Amino acid sequence: MEYREGKVGRVFVLRVDDGEDILESITALAEEKTIEKAFLFMLGACRNSNLVTGPLKDMIPPEPIWNSFVDPHEIIGIGNIMLENKKPVVHLHTGLGRDGKASIGCMREHNEAFMVTEILLLEIDGMDVLRKFDSTRGFAPINFGEKEN
């Protein structure tokens, strides 16, 4: 285990309206406001969504299981933003529910807000942390104490 201590910086509330892409909206805010590190909480609804709901097999690097949802679903999510290759990358895990059925996974690719999705974003200050791709693991975990040149 490794950890670093930081402080909460700026706080943003983001409303993603019907038809807008959730991940694109968060990324656009991060780029516009130069947000390099943040934690976020999300609630609302979405449609035309894509989730990775686990690895196909118990192996590293994992082969993802993709699930797509066309109909509107209620959602709740928690995630972060970290730089990878000098660009903000959103890592957002969500729970989706509709008509008594639920699914949890990592929101990826296109995910469209239905009616409205609200996001609380807490910027993190005072630490060096970024994502760096690890070919052995097949993803980009967070790395501490590094800076991108």
Side-chain angles (χ1 to χ4, degrees):
M1 178 182 83
E2 251 188 282
Y3 70 91
R4 297 294 186 269
E5 184 174 332
K7 297 180 185 212
V8 174
R10 298 174 291 176
V11 176
F12 297 89
V13 174
L14 175 61
R15 186 189 72 228
V16 183
D17 290 317
D18 187 70
E20 295 179 324
D21 187 276
I22 295 167
L23 295 175
E24 284 180 11
S25 296
I26 298 167
T27 301
L29 175 69
E31 289 172 347
E32 177 186 334
K33 295 297 184 177
T34 318
I35 300 168
E36 297 182 359
K37 300 169 288 293
F39 203 76
L40 54 97
F41 304 90
M42 174 182 72
L43 59 101
C46 66
R47 64 161 101 68
N48 299 321
S49 294
N50 298 287
L51 292 182
V52 169
T53 56
L56 188 58
K57 296 179 182 173
D58 183 4
M59 59 185 270
I60 298 172
E63 182 179 343
I65 297 171
W66 284 93
N67 280 282
S68 296
F69 303 89
V70 176
D71 294 328
H73 283 67
E74 296 296 317
I75 59 171
I76 187 167
I78 192 166
N80 64 39
I81 297 171
M82 302 286 170
L83 291 184
E84 182 179 350
N85 298 320
K86 300 182 182 178
K87 295 185 179 190
V89 174
V90 178
H91 185 198
L92 180 58
H93 281 229
T94 59
L96 280 75
R98 178 182 171 88
D99 194 25
K101 296 179 180 100
S103 190
I104 297 174
C106 184
M107 189 176 266
R108 303 220 189 134
E109 296 183 348
H110 180 78
N111 293 275
E112 188 178 309
F114 174 71
M115 294 177 56
V116 69
T117 299
E118 300 162 342
I119 298 158
L120 172 65
L121 189 148
L122 306 173
E123 184 178 41
I124 302 168
D125 285 339
M127 73 172 73
D128 292 328
V129 60
L130 55 84
R131 292 195 176 281
K132 193 172 185 180
F133 187 77
D134 180 334
S135 58
T136 304
R137 294 183 189 186
F139 71 101
I142 58 174
N143 284 270
F144 298 104
E146 298 185 28
K147 291 185 179 181
E148 292 184 317
N149 298 323

